Amino acid sequence: MSRLASFNVVFAAFVLVVASCGGTARTAYTSAAPGATAASWAFDQDAAGTAPQGSESFAGQWTVRAEADAPSKPNALCQVGSATFPAIALSSTVYADLVITVRFKPISGKEDQAAGIIFRIQGKDDYYILRANALEGNVNFYKYASGSRSDIKDGTAKVTSGQWQELKVEATGDRLRGFLDGALVVETTDATYKAGRVGLWTKADSVTCFDDLIVKPAT
């Protein structure tokens, strides 16, 4: 295979565009990476006190640590710092249509006790969020664009502090659906992002742990 052909295969999943602000280049993913397959993270093979191997932290303090009640023992990934929107991408793999499930436990936070899945990540300032909040009692979709968060759709649900629950997102084309413990809570449409990476999110002073994240390409 020629060098040019190899380049086209590797980069077929995305195109580079130039942001209007300052001419800074960023990535706009338009389709899944060739060969993108299901993946999972239980964090049990990662060293305690570190971020997961292959991850990219955007904000906050993300650390693997032992949790006595972790759904898959011994470890979970916990966000223990404070930032406006703590976020982490878990790998470089690009997905388009997908299903993501994760177990989460809100532990503490005076301002927020939030847990979120981020998906179709373009970079640290551009992605979708499905967020559950134990203090507000909701599961909402947001769009994060150029470092600014905007509401897409809100859903009411009981989110329990100190308890493991399951958050799930389905994204097919522009259709987005959010579930809590298997029950559909919120659904909407938005066509801003076509594909991107996957990761996790919290808000403000939330101390939240995550375990058993699974991502599958939607069929």
Side-chain angles (χ1 to χ4, degrees):
M1 181 181 291
S2 70
R3 182 176 296 179
L4 178 59
S6 298
F7 180 90
N8 288 338
V9 169
V10 173
F11 291 93
F14 60 88
V15 295
L16 289 176
V17 298
V18 176
S20 59
C21 181
T24 303
R26 67 179 179 86
T27 302
Y29 297 103
T30 58
S31 60
T37 59
S40 62
W41 289 262
F43 311 112
D44 298 323
Q45 303 306 312
D46 294 297
T50 67
Q53 185 175 2
S55 65
E56 180 186 359
S57 178
F58 297 148
Q61 184 179 347
W62 297 85
T63 185
V64 173
R65 70 184 192 187
E67 288 290 310
D69 62 346
S72 61
K73 292 179 174 58
N75 292 343
L77 175 62
C78 302
Q79 200 297 119
V80 297
S82 183
T84 303
F85 300 124
I88 187 170
L90 290 175
S91 78
S92 60
T93 304
V94 175
Y95 296 90
D97 294 348
L98 53 74
V99 178
I100 304 172
T101 59
V102 69
R103 301 280 290 172
F104 73 95
K105 180 176 70 170
I107 296 174
S108 65
K110 293 183 178 180
E111 184 177 346
D112 274 282
Q113 293 185 23
I117 296 170
I118 54 176
F119 60 103
R120 295 185 178 173
I121 301 169
Q122 312 301 294
K124 67 181 182 64
D125 292 329
D126 300 270
Y127 46 76
Y128 287 124
I129 308 161
L130 176 66
R131 186 217 66 184
N133 194 308
L135 296 186
E136 297 179 5
N138 54 31
V139 177
N140 300 341
F141 275 114
Y142 298 95
K143 177 171 63 178
Y144 198 52
S146 300
S148 179
R149 191 186 68 160
S150 59
D151 184 87
I152 300 177
K153 184 79 172 184
D154 299 345
T156 300
K158 181 176 175 54
V159 182
T160 305
S161 182
Q163 179 176 307
W164 288 98
Q165 295 139 93
E166 183 188 79
L167 192 62
K168 174 182 173 182
V169 63
E170 295 178 352
T172 306
D174 66 355
R175 186 184 186 194
L176 310 177
R177 306 175 79 211
F179 301 76
L180 182 69
D181 287 334
L184 177 63
V185 177
V186 58
E187 58 183 326
T188 188
T189 58
D190 190 275
T192 303
Y193 305 128
K194 310 299 183 185
R197 295 181 288 160
V198 302
L200 296 167
W201 185 95
T202 68
K203 182 170 182 271
D205 62 345
S206 302
V207 174
T208 304
C209 289
F210 299 86
D211 202 2
D212 291 344
L213 185 145
I214 301 171
V215 55
K216 298 178 181 178
T219 57

